[in-house]
Structure formats: structure tokens, C-alpha cells
Amino acid sequence: MKLCFLVEEQYRHDGMPVEVIRQLTSWGHQVDVLRPGGALLRMTEALQGAAHDAWVLKTVSGGPGLTLLEAAAAAGTTTINDARSIRGVRDKALAAAIGRGRGLPLPPTYAAAGPELLAQIPESEYPIVVKPADGSSGRAVHLVRSPDRLAALAPELAGEGLLIAQPYIPNSGVDIKVYGVGGELYATERRSPLHPDHAAPERRVPLSDEVAAVAAQAGVVYGLDLYGVDVVLGPDGPVVVDVNDFPSFRQVPDATARVARAVLALAARGARTAEPAEPVRPRMPEQRGAAGQRGAAEAGGTAVPPAGDAVSPAGAAGASASQGPAAGSPRRAGQAAQVPVPAGKAG
């Protein structure tokens, strides 16, 4: 296959996507790399004669790469993820409206063009979390406990463009990050950026049925194939606080090969539509059998190999939310991907 990766300057030496590009190249695929943040782009000719099977975006939320990806999609090129889906989560105000409107557990969300407008939020909503609508990597995220504190932060927030504010969800100070890759879900926990003094090293954790259901539903609602969902466990259950396209996949076992296989599978079957589908409904875990492997072979590809005990989506309604597979064991979020990886080069 011939692939094009759009890589922001700050990710030039990052393991994700640099190692994925190396893996794909070692499998015999051609990978071109464009750095939209560090090159003059002649947009009117940039896509003429393009012959890539798919384009992949790894840039910061406010970077120029998404515009180029959208141009490629408009020209009929497959993108991973769908360009409209990426736009839908990179604008956090838009993501909140989409998610709440389609049944995801997200906090009520305010949007304001400047910090002075956030002063209109009722005091009863405090404490609140304020962050840029195009933020990434924890940039300018603030836990604001009172209107007075908001006023003091105004100069710092003034240059951040559109802001969002959400009521703070009381939690333990630990975020759960769920990664979706190759139709499987993996969970890690890490210290919340709102609680920097909390001692919580990043590590893989079991994925409960309740959190798995929310994470799987997020992928469907936003139309994403490779994604991450940040969840906090509030008094009323899991709450989604952020969604990312093409995240770091830290702590995912064999992440480089898994992501590379997923890119190939998605490129092979074309761009996924961003139109909303019915949310994924969890069912009891079940082991993938030989029949699934035969079906993959008949289709001309190789099923994504499991890491340990690969299982189907989260447990059916009524299963205990406190139970789940062991840390690092994936939950299936969809059908096994068909991946054109040469024999003997599956990582």
C-alpha cells in the first residue's frame, strides 16, 4: 500500500506515529510523510495526481493538518479516521453537543468566545473546569473553584480562542483512558491533570463492563476507528470528559504493530462514514474461534492476532460493572479487522 502521514512538528520524534511508520515500511508499504506545520503548501496543487491508498493525521488539535486532510477527503482519498469525525472531536464544544445529543454521559457544557463571558455561569455550577475548545495534551486546563478565581485567570485564558466550561465531576483524582484500536478496547489509568499532587502512576487496568460500554458507544457516536476516551468515575457512574483521534496508545500491548495493522485494515476497506449509527450494545465476552480465523483467510486477509485472551465487547446488560478482563486484555469493539500484512511480517 501507499500511505501518507501528516505529522505535526512536535510529533516528528514521537513513538506514535514514528514507530508505526517504521513498522509499515518494514512490511513493504510505501509511506510518505508531510509536515503541514513546517512547510509551505500550495493547496491548489497539493492533491493533484495524488495516488495514496489512505492519509493518516497525527497533529495537534489546532494545527493545519486537519485542513489538508479534509482537502484529501474532498478529493476522494480515504482518511483514517474519517475527516468529518476528526473535526467533530477536535472542536470540544462541538463534541460536547454531539455526544450529549446522542446519549453519551458528558457534563453540561458552556462555550464562550472570551473568558469574560464565562462570568455569566451561575455560581451554583462551581467548581468548573475551563479549557480551550481546540486544546490538546492538557494545555490550559483549569479547575476553577469560584467566580473570583475565574476573574484571576482571565488574562491567561484571553489568547486561547473559544473556551468551554463544564461543572467539575467529583472523582478520585484518577482518569481512565480507554483506547480503541483494531476493534478492541484497552484501559489505562493515570493521574488527572486537575489533581497534579495525586500519586497515580500510569498503568494498564481491567476494563469494567460499564466503562467498556461507554467507550464503545463513543466510537460509534463520533464515527472513529482509532481513538481514545477519557473517563472519570463520578457519583453517578462513568462520565466522558474528552475524546481524541489517533492518541498515544500508551500502555497498549504491542501498540505499534496493532496500530499499523489497523491503519492497513481501514485503508483496505475505505473511509468509514461519519453518519451516526446505533450505539454499540455490550454483550457477554466470548473467545474468538477458528471459524473467525477461517473467515478472515477466505477474505484474503489475516485476522488481527490477539494479545493474550482477546474477547468480544463488554458484558451484557445486568453483568456486574465492577468485573472485567484482566489488565491489558482487550475487549472487542467490533469485528476482527482484515489486514493485508505479508506472511511472516505480522510483527
Side-chain angles (χ1 to χ4, degrees), residues 136-228:
S136 59
S137 303
R139 187 189 90 239
V141 178
H142 298 279
L143 175 58
V144 184
R145 299 192 178 277
S146 68
D148 290 344
R149 179 57 183 156
L150 177 63
L153 284 171
E156 182 177 345
L157 296 170
E160 292 290 351
L162 185 67
L163 300 167
I164 67 167
Q166 299 168 322
Y168 170 74
I169 305 300
N171 64 86
S172 66
V174 173
D175 289 351
I176 299 173
K177 183 84 169 190
V178 183
Y179 295 109
V181 55
E184 295 176 343
L185 301 173
Y186 298 84
T188 68
E189 70 173 19
R190 61 185 182 181
R191 181 180 59 196
S192 167
L194 301 177
H195 299 277
D197 297 329
H198 187 86
E202 187 172 5
R203 62 190 181 97
R204 294 205 308 267
V205 294
L207 181 57
S208 73
D209 294 340
E210 191 176 20
V211 173
V214 169
Q217 184 183 358
V220 173
V221 164
Y222 294 111
L224 295 168
D225 295 291
L226 293 173
Y227 64 98

Side-chain angles (χ1 to χ4, degrees), residues 27-28 63 78 93 101 111 117 133 141 157 198 225 235 249 287 309 311 321 328 332:
W27 287 341
T78 295
L117 297 174
V141 178
L157 296 170
H198 187 86
D225 295 291
F249 298 103
Q287 196 73 24
D309 297 328
V311 294
R332 295 291 299 167

Side-chain angles (χ1 to χ4, degrees), residues 222-315:
Y222 294 111
L224 295 168
D225 295 291
L226 293 173
Y227 64 98
V229 183
D230 290 356
V231 176
V232 297
L233 299 180
D236 299 319
V239 178
V240 175
V241 293
D242 202 10
V243 180
N244 311 111
D245 64 279
F246 209 108
S248 67
F249 298 103
R250 288 198 302 270
Q251 303 295 331
V252 172
D254 201 20
T256 296
R258 288 185 183 279
V259 173
R261 293 188 190 104
V263 167
L264 293 174
L266 294 168
R269 71 177 172 86
R272 174 179 174 175
T273 179
E275 293 299 316
E278 288 296 316
V280 173
R281 300 302 176 190
R283 55 189 172 85
M284 288 299 294
E286 60 185 22
Q287 196 73 24
R288 285 180 298 178
Q293 300 291 340
R294 287 196 302 270
E298 291 168 359
T302 303
V304 176
D309 297 328
V311 294
S312 293

